[in-house]
Amino acid sequence: MRDRPEMSDVSAFLAVARAGGFREAARTSSSSSSALSDAVRRLEARLGVRLLNRTTRAVVPTEAGRGLMERVSPAFGEIDAALEHVMSFRGRAAGTLRLNVPASASRLVLPAIVPRFLAAYPDIRLEVDTDESLIDVIAAGYDAGIRYDERLAQDMIAVPIGPRVQRFAFGAAPAYLDKHGRPEHPRDLLSHNCIRSRFAGRSVMAWEFERDGEEVIVEPQGQLVVQAGDGSELGIAAAVAGSGIMALFEDWLQPHFDSGALEPVLQPWWLGFPGPFLYYPGRRLQPAPLRAFIDFIKAHAAER
């Protein structure tokens, strides 16, 4: 690979050529005339061609120097314009914020936050992708993600977002329970048709219960297994139709409890767990949209 010159040396050459001398260029830049002279000499040595003719009265570009100026000046102009555009973000929250979240957060956490956030920051464009897998969200091009404590990467900063305690709820259609009986203990589920979930590439999740210090884990059987997150609506529809007992976030099932389409099952045994976190890398300079979102959810949490 050809040994390329430093861009700072090219920039120094442009400054001197435009100013017509080293002292004149030094007055309009943060470099001294000697530093500019050294930079131009390095550039000429690297390229193997003289770029400036120096006399006691003036510094004039050679033919090669003029050709270099014509070719690189537009490019440096674009770079300067791009840097000015980026620096304009320092004083305002603008740009794109990309989040990777599970379906449960998209459905149960973000609706209470996103509309107010967008209203507060009209120059921010928010992109939200739902994903249940354990991906490296930063390597995948996201600014931050939302996950639960047991699935957080260890080298990330985590900030609470949404409700701090959630519960898994269990429900079935009243007609199903009238026909098959209402469980009184979690072990009674072993004789029921249960609609279960699993994350892609992982085993079917066991059901956990707790009451008065007694913890019970059961692995009931059933005809239907759905993918956690995206497949949850299918599981709910099957439960409403009388196919069995469904387990899901309490807030997700609550509208169906309120309507009577589903009846709570084993409610005293429902297990609570910590709510989700927004997580992101601990960079010193965070993108303005991410910084604004972090500040907003902290303020939102204080209001709650």
Side-chain angles (χ1 to χ4, degrees):
M1 180 181 292
R2 189 168 57 184
D3 192 14
R4 295 182 180 275
E6 295 289 338
M7 290 298 101
S8 58
D9 291 348
V10 179
S11 179
F13 159 73
L14 287 176
V16 173
R18 289 167 178 166
F22 292 95
R23 290 183 180 178
E24 291 76 7
R27 292 192 189 100
T28 58
S29 69
S30 58
S31 297
S32 64
S33 57
S34 61
L36 291 171
S37 179
D38 290 342
V40 172
R41 272 198 295 267
R42 280 196 305 269
L43 180 61
E44 290 177 329
R46 188 71 59 84
L47 296 176
V49 62
R50 179 177 290 276
L51 299 174
L52 296 174
N53 285 322
R54 304 161 176 84
T55 70
T56 56
R57 293 188 298 270
V59 175
V60 180
T62 64
E63 182 179 357
R66 290 193 299 273
L68 181 60
M69 286 184 66
E70 292 172 359
R71 297 294 295 273
V72 302
S73 290
F76 271 80
E78 286 294 319
I79 292 173
D80 289 340
L83 292 175
E84 289 181 5
H85 173 71
V86 171
M87 288 188 291
S88 71
F89 285 83
R90 292 182 301 181
R92 63 187 180 95
T96 300
L97 173 63
R98 299 191 68 215
L99 301 179
N100 182 287
V101 309
S104 57
S106 178
R107 185 181 184 92
L108 305 177
V109 175
L110 292 181
I113 297 173
V114 166
R116 295 173 58 191
F117 175 72
L118 296 178
Y121 296 96
D123 293 327
I124 290 179
R125 179 172 181 260
L126 179 61
E127 296 182 7
V128 180
D129 290 343
T130 57
D131 192 343
E132 307 295 331
S133 60
L134 293 173
I135 66 170
D136 184 337
V137 297
I138 307 305
Y142 296 95
D143 296 297
I146 296 178
R147 292 294 187 272
Y148 287 84
D149 187 46
E150 73 278 6
R151 308 184 81 197
L152 291 176
Q154 296 301 312
D155 58 346
M156 295 288 178
I157 296 175
V159 175
I161 185 171
R164 298 324 309 142
V165 178
Q166 293 180 288
R167 292 198 301 176
F168 274 117
F170 300 81
Y176 171 88
L177 297 173
D178 290 341
K179 181 177 180 180
H180 298 280
R182 287 167 172 78
E184 297 182 359
H185 190 277
R187 295 189 185 91
D188 295 340
L189 295 171
L190 297 175
S191 62
H192 281 267
N193 199 2
C194 296
I195 301 168
R196 302 175 67 192
S197 304
R198 68 176 168 196
F199 292 103
R202 303 177 67 182
S203 58
V204 179
M205 291 184 288
W207 288 0
E208 300 181 38
F209 301 86
E210 190 276 332
R211 182 180 184 182
D212 299 330
E214 180 184 0
E215 298 179 2
V216 180
I217 299 177
V218 298
E219 295 192 15
Q221 301 302 307
Q223 293 177 277
L224 179 62
V225 176
V226 299
Q227 182 171 322
D230 292 340
S232 296
E233 287 299 327
L234 172 60
I236 292 174
V240 170
S243 298
I245 299 175
M246 174 72 179
L248 196 59
F249 291 87
E250 179 181 3
D251 290 343
W252 205 328
L253 291 181
Q254 191 61 51
H256 304 283
F257 292 149
D258 294 340
S259 69
L262 294 178
E263 178 181 321
V265 173
L266 294 171
Q267 191 167 8
W269 289 89
W270 292 358
L271 180 67
F273 55 92
F277 294 83
L278 176 80
Y279 72 103
Y280 53 92
R283 297 169 180 157
R284 186 173 63 88
L285 294 176
Q286 293 168 341
L290 175 59
R291 181 72 261 166
F293 190 69
I294 294 169
D295 292 342
F296 187 85
I297 64 171
K298 287 180 177 180
H300 185 71
E303 293 175 6
R304 288 171 60 90

